Amino acid sequence: MHNKIAAYVDDKEKMYHDLSDKIWDLAEIKFHEHESAEAIMTILKNEGFSIQSNVADISTAFIGTFGNKGPSIGFLGEYDALPDLSQRADTTIQEINPEAASTNGHGCGHNLLGTASLAAAIATKEYIEEHNIDATIKYFGCPAEEGGSGKTYMVRNHVFDGLDMAICWHPGTDNVIFGCQTLANIQAAFEFKGISSHAANSPEMGRSALDAVELMNVGSNYLREHVTSDARFHYAILDGGSISPSVVQSHAKVLYLIRAPKVYQVKEIYDRICKIAEGAAIMTETEVTVHFDKACSNYIPNKTYSEIMSTCMQEIGAPKFDKADWDFAQKIYDNLTEDEKKFRMVPPIGPVEKKLIAENAGKPLADFVYPYNPIMGNITMPGSTDVGDVSWVVPTVQCVMTTEVQHTPMHSWQWVANGKSGIAKKGMLQAAKVMAATAVTVIEEPNYIETAKAELKAVTDQTPYQNPIPEDVKPNSLNF
């Protein structure tokens, strides 16, 4: 089965390479991924999938469907970029590309993510066609993972209802099952309105919105001591009110991203930060308006499907890199700081992991596969993903595949520079093969589905799912 799937993927290698390069070039940010989405939909149509566009009232969300019987398997695709990460491809030195049409860049590898999920969906479809197997294959075009929580809005609109399995992956520096939990989050903007005046001639007449923002940030920083130690909140001042210090700032805005292991913890911290904002407004005699932007839930790894995907990954193996890949990776690796070289996507949780890390120390690329360790399910990684909300309503499995140089941090110029490389493309297609093999394994043995669903039900019976985005909040296409 694995050889068949590999052949399906490899036969269309050039198409997938071209698509990932195109999405890299477009570098469209949250809810603006129109050309990227259209490129994927065009391929799906040509491969015999029916298309439902404008899903959940999001213009860049869509579903491609093949078949209408048997187990329903969904592949999650992302294709959004990050702002302010423009970078030349295939360079080992950080530089802004002066020829770039925008400052956006694929610093999280979503040009690869969406393409590999597409390749996996098509390979799975070709396998069931050839073997006359009943199954329904769906590709979900999921926009705005970066700062938009597109999937959370889609879950709120019941887009994933009826799925038996959701499959995804993420580009990374290792080959491993994504078996950790993630942090839930809420993002909101706090807009202060004050009164302008001459800062020297009549300062008593002014009410500074910028002072309110600064006081809010100070108050929030004091809050850090009094929340769960796993919580994080970050802020960016979006509007300082003026470029002139001689004018009291009548307007200012700050954007907060709040994270914690559980949704209820995030909500509690968010409510407290809202009170801090109200206090800052009272102190400065300004007005504050809160704009709830988006949120996502913590990710629940499914152990049943993770074990199946791990078996497939062990059998298919890590990407096979050539000399050019190793030479390029070594140049990136040599430019990393000692602190950067301490960064790991996979925690050394057990003796097997520690042994593999020790044996491969100093390698610029991971050419080995970590075995699945169920203990990872008890660990919460410090990032967030809107795949979390999908995992609360459908048993979900993910892997990470080597597409990046060891120890390079996500959302970095290195990830953008590496996005068109042979390293990235080899990892991308290897991930597609693992995902497709996992899907076919489950399709051919439907008993796995009932076990996986029972596992998820045991969690949701104790903690029923509640979508963290209020019904009246709409997707925000602005990049603040």
Side-chain angles (χ1 to χ4, degrees):
M1 179 258 283
H2 295 331
N3 290 337
K4 275 279 186 186
I5 286 171
Y8 295 140
V9 173
D10 291 339
D11 284 349
K12 293 181 168 65
E13 176 184 271
K14 185 179 186 303
M15 179 175 75
Y16 299 133
H17 286 182
D18 290 347
L19 176 65
S20 66
D21 283 352
K22 181 174 183 176
I23 296 173
W24 189 98
D25 289 335
L26 291 167
E28 297 170 305
I29 59 173
K30 63 175 185 176
F31 299 121
H32 289 278
E33 317 94 327
H34 298 286
E35 291 186 65
S36 300
E38 186 59 41
I40 297 172
M41 284 191 284
T42 297
I43 291 175
L44 284 168
K45 290 175 187 174
N46 292 339
E47 294 293 331
F49 287 73
S50 62
I51 302 297
Q52 178 186 354
S53 57
N54 198 37
V55 168
D57 294 322
I58 302 172
S59 61
T60 54
F62 61 90
I63 306 172
T65 303
F66 180 86
N68 58 9
K69 297 178 181 178
S72 182
I73 310 296
F75 294 89
L76 311 180
E78 301 169 11
Y79 32 85
D80 58 320
L82 287 151
D84 303 319
L85 267 179
S86 178
Q87 169 66 28
R88 290 185 192 272
D90 304 320
T91 182
T92 59
I93 300 173
Q94 183 177 13
E95 56 179 300
I96 299 298
N97 182 356
E99 300 173 358
S102 73
T103 60
N104 307 331
H106 275 284
C108 213
H110 291 181
N111 60 308
L112 309 169
L113 197 163
T115 302
S117 292
L118 174 69
I122 292 172
T124 306
K125 169 251 183 185
E126 292 182 336
Y127 186 92
I128 65 171
E129 268 191 313
E130 182 175 337
H131 294 82
N132 197 29
I133 299 171
D134 285 338
T136 303
I137 310 302
K138 291 178 177 285
Y139 179 96
F140 292 88
C142 305
E145 191 276 336
E146 300 290 358
S149 289
K151 296 183 198 68
T152 312
Y153 285 103
M154 294 167 75
V155 170
R156 193 182 69 178
N157 282 267
H158 304 282
V159 170
F160 302 99
D161 288 5
L163 277 186
D164 294 310
M165 179 185 202
I167 308 177
C168 194
W169 78 294
H170 204 286
T173 59
D174 294 288
N175 306 295
V176 66
I177 298 303
F178 195 133
C180 296
Q181 299 183 56
T182 61
L183 298 175
N185 72 36
I186 290 176
Q187 182 165 284
F190 297 83
E191 185 174 11
F192 291 87
K193 181 180 179 181
I195 300 172
S196 63
S197 69
H198 194 293
N201 188 46
S202 54
E204 71 280 5
M205 303 299 292
R207 299 293 183 267
S208 174
L210 181 58
D211 285 355
V213 165
E214 291 189 289
L215 285 167
M216 177 187 173
N217 292 344
V218 169
S220 296
N221 287 332
Y222 276 107
L223 178 64
R224 295 180 195 278
E225 184 183 356
H226 304 287
V227 297
T228 177
S229 59
D230 293 323
R232 288 164 165 76
F233 35 97
H234 337 284
Y235 55 79
I237 297 176
L238 306 178
D239 174 16
S242 174
I243 61 171
S244 174
S246 68
V247 177
V248 174
Q249 294 85 357
S250 64
H251 53 89
K253 185 187 294 185
V254 62
L255 181 67
Y256 268 69
L257 178 58
I258 306 158
R259 307 181 198 254
K262 306 297 181 185
V263 172
Y264 78 88
Q265 295 171 317
V266 176
K267 181 63 167 60
E268 289 173 356
I269 296 169
Y270 168 71
D271 289 342
R272 295 178 75 180
I273 288 178
C274 286
K275 290 178 181 178
I276 291 170
E278 292 168 5
I282 291 171
M283 285 189 285
T284 54
E285 295 186 325
T286 59
E287 298 175 1
V288 62
T289 302
V290 182
H291 304 279
F292 191 109
D293 179 39
K294 66 99 180 180
C296 69
S297 302
N298 51 295
Y299 173 66
I300 305 173
N302 188 277
K303 293 181 180 179
T304 302
Y305 287 157
S306 292
E307 288 173 355
I308 296 167
M309 179 174 270
S310 178
T311 299
C312 293
M313 182 181 283
Q314 293 287 339
E315 293 173 354
I316 291 170
K320 293 179 173 57
F321 302 112
D322 60 27
K323 185 177 184 302
D325 298 328
W326 285 101
D327 289 346
F328 178 75
Q330 190 66 55
K331 291 176 183 177
I332 293 280
Y333 186 84
D334 289 343
N335 285 330
L336 295 176
T337 67
E338 290 306 310
D339 283 341
E340 287 173 329
K341 288 178 181 178
K342 296 175 185 176
F343 170 78
R344 300 209 68 85
M345 289 189 74
V346 177
I349 57 178
V352 174
E353 291 84 4
K354 290 177 181 178
K355 184 173 183 288
L356 282 169
I357 289 171
E359 290 174 348
N360 292 277
K363 277 187 176 181
L365 292 171
D367 58 350
F368 58 95
V369 176
Y370 286 95
Y372 172 60
N373 190 335
I375 295 174
M376 291 181 73
N378 301 324
I379 296 173
T380 300
M381 65 171 287
S384 305
T385 172
D386 58 7
V387 178
D389 288 278
V390 180
S391 75
W392 278 86
V393 297
V394 180
T396 302
V397 65
Q398 303 184 83
C399 66
V400 175
M401 191 67 71
T402 296
T403 57
E404 311 300 329
V405 177
Q406 281 282 287
H407 308 296
T408 50
M410 302 167 74
H411 294 194
S412 66
W413 70 265
Q414 290 99 330
W415 277 47
V416 186
N418 192 59
K420 287 185 167 184
S421 72
I423 299 166
K425 289 169 181 169
K426 289 180 177 71
M428 173 184 76
L429 295 186
Q430 204 75 346
K433 295 168 187 176
V434 170
M435 289 189 287
T438 304
V440 168
T441 301
V442 171
I443 290 168
E444 292 187 328
E445 184 47 72
N447 288 337
Y448 289 130
I449 293 173
E450 296 309 314
T451 304
K453 286 184 174 181
E455 180 185 329
L456 176 59
K457 186 175 184 296
V459 175
T460 56
D461 280 350
Q462 287 191 329
T463 309
Y465 173 69
Q466 290 186 328
N467 194 284
I469 300 179
E471 284 291 335
D472 61 338
V473 175
K474 304 301 180 186
N476 183 1
S477 62
L478 300 176
N479 192 34
F480 289 106

